[in-house]
Amino acid sequence: MVGSVGLTAFYTASGVDESPPDATCIFAYSRQPSNGGTVTTTRRIRLQPAGSAVLARGMDEIRQQMDLPTAFPAEVEAAAAAAAANPRLPGLDRTELPLVTIDPPGARDLDQAMHVQAQGNGWRVHYAIADVAAFVQAGDPVDLEAHRRGETLYGADSKIPLHPKVLSEGAASLLPDQVRPALLWTVDLDPAGRIAAIDVRRARVRSRAQLDYAGVQQAIDAGSDDPMWTVLRRIGELREQCERARGGVSLPLPEQEIDVVDGRWTLAFRARLPIENWNEQISLLVGMAAAQLMVQAKVGLLRTLPPPDPHALARLHVTARVLGIDWPSALDYPGFIRSLDPSSDVQVAMLTACTTVLRGAGYAAFDGSLPAQPMHSALAAQYTHATAPLRRLVDRYTGEVCLALCAKQPVPAWALAALPGLPATMQASGHRAGQYESAVLNLAEAAALAPRVGEVFDGAIVEVAHDDPARGTVIVRDPAVEAGVTGHARLPLGADVRVSLVEADPVKRVTRFELAG
């Protein structure tokens, strides 16, 4: 397989974005609905260079249109190379910890390494995060360029990294069998999986192995006797239970894969592996632990999402009635979502509609008093980005704040001074990333379907535009694609339909269906 595009977890749609980075170009982005409103679905794409001239031309055109950088300035590369040769290694040596990384195959920018174990009647999580500040100093060329970029951009043939690869895929990456500086989080959990104690400090670490999701899942399914996988599964399940108890929610939308073999494109849906969910819960746990430290000290930066708008929830109840789906009055929004079946086209339409309550994800910096709205409503918790500093600027700063708080030291002046400007920086970079990734995915879909214009496909209507009920979104399952669709009258939301592919243009990056007569 060369690529995958996924209608992925609610976490990404709501701004959590704990999808793992991938050297073979993985990204998640939010597709805007046909009515121009809020997010309907999110997708993830993982593509390697496929030798496709159409893809290469299309990617070049996207980068030129958006005026994206194709390389780092010479002074930035030189500063990065010098930093890579002289890292600031901490005195604490924790290389005895049997940490491992779990990432897609071929990944090189490894932000996190993990070890989990039973601890008394509870659990202990060790989570090592790449220490970018061991290489980058405030105001140096690498730092200034990182502030201009904000985050790594993922495309179909390459990535536009936040930091030069000599750092992000070399000296700062938690590659196996290499001693690396890291922020070592230790989070103790009680028997129910709730946070009992938090610590983070700089340490030298060494990952034992670079693993991938499919391989770990196969080991678990085969009954591996490695106790770590038993513990990881148990912690992941307990954290999912905690999420449900808090009122948090995730949307089990189907995932879509694009394969490119000898220049030929095919599409199919796939199920998300359980190990991906359990691993994601560990990352979310550390983000919540970091938020807890900052909230208690009243200094830091949170990732926020306001509560669902009552009017949006009311519209969802109407949608459920239209689709013929029972929503008991005693069942709240998270409970209703958990009751839906992603294998049903009608209920996928409902799941898609449920994402329309996700509005206003952002960052809130604070010092001395908490933000007026500090919560992340999708998680039903306070949360921050802290686990991906190689690919996201803000994580370096949240890590530094938490290090200082755990050491009972003042937050470094350089980090404190940057906090107020980070929300705007990340909002701009997030908008740019969304535009880029949307353009790339539109290119991929159009290229995949271009040879099939005029064919008729089976699908289901999953969205109808509010301003024009003859326009909407269709999910076609074979090949697996989500795209715009038009009809001559109101589209039948949730209904099985036959649609004709009337346009798939890689140059314009447009794919469009019409209801078949």
Side-chain angles (χ1 to χ4, degrees), residues 242-293:
C242 290
E243 177 181 279
R244 290 192 292 272
R246 292 192 312 268
V249 62
S250 62
L251 288 175
L253 288 165
E255 291 198 349
Q256 185 187 33
E257 291 186 346
I258 292 178
D259 290 354
V260 187
V261 180
D262 297 329
R264 185 172 180 271
W265 299 63
T266 62
L267 302 97
F269 284 113
R270 81 164 179 93
R272 185 174 165 92
L273 296 173
I275 181 61
E276 295 176 80
N277 298 326
W278 305 330
N279 188 60
E280 184 173 65
Q281 285 296 329
I282 300 298
S283 186
L284 292 170
L285 167 68
V286 172
M288 292 179 199
Q292 182 175 315
L293 291 175

Side-chain angles (χ1 to χ4, degrees), residues 93-138:
D93 186 345
R94 296 305 310 272
T95 53
E96 86 286 356
L97 285 172
L99 300 164
V100 298
T101 61
I102 309 177
D103 291 274
R108 294 285 299 175
D109 50 351
L110 310 183
D111 284 286
Q112 312 111 3
M114 172 181 58
H115 180 257
V116 295
Q117 64 190 60
Q119 178 80 8
N121 62 352
W123 318 92
R124 171 163 287 182
V125 174
H126 283 121
Y127 209 56
I129 306 299
D131 187 0
V132 173
F135 301 89
V136 179
Q137 298 188 66

Side-chain angles (χ1 to χ4, degrees), residues 304-432:
T304 61
L305 182 72
D309 177 73
H311 296 292
L313 287 175
R315 286 195 298 271
L316 287 184
H317 281 271
V318 173
T319 302
R321 288 198 298 272
V322 170
L323 293 174
I325 299 173
D326 182 40
W327 188 340
S329 58
L331 195 61
D332 62 8
Y333 171 67
F336 175 65
I337 288 174
R338 284 191 286 271
S339 73
L340 297 174
D341 179 5
S343 68
S344 161
D345 286 337
V346 171
Q347 299 199 29
V348 165
M350 190 70 238
L351 285 167
T352 301
C354 283
T355 65
T356 61
V357 304
L358 305 177
R359 297 176 184 269
Y363 294 92
F366 57 100
D367 184 7
S369 61
L370 294 181
Q373 200 300 98
M375 298 296 293
H376 195 291
S377 65
L379 298 175
Q382 292 161 345
Y383 170 79
T384 194
H385 280 156
T387 63
L390 293 178
R391 63 184 178 97
R392 194 169 48 210
L393 175 67
V394 68
D395 301 49
R396 172 161 42 114
Y397 289 89
T398 55
E400 290 300 317
V401 172
C402 292
L403 282 167
L405 296 177
C406 277
K408 302 189 184 306
Q409 298 291 325
V411 176
W414 62 267
L416 200 59
L419 288 180
L422 284 172
T425 298
M426 297 309 299
Q427 181 179 13
S429 72
H431 179 70
R432 182 168 55 250

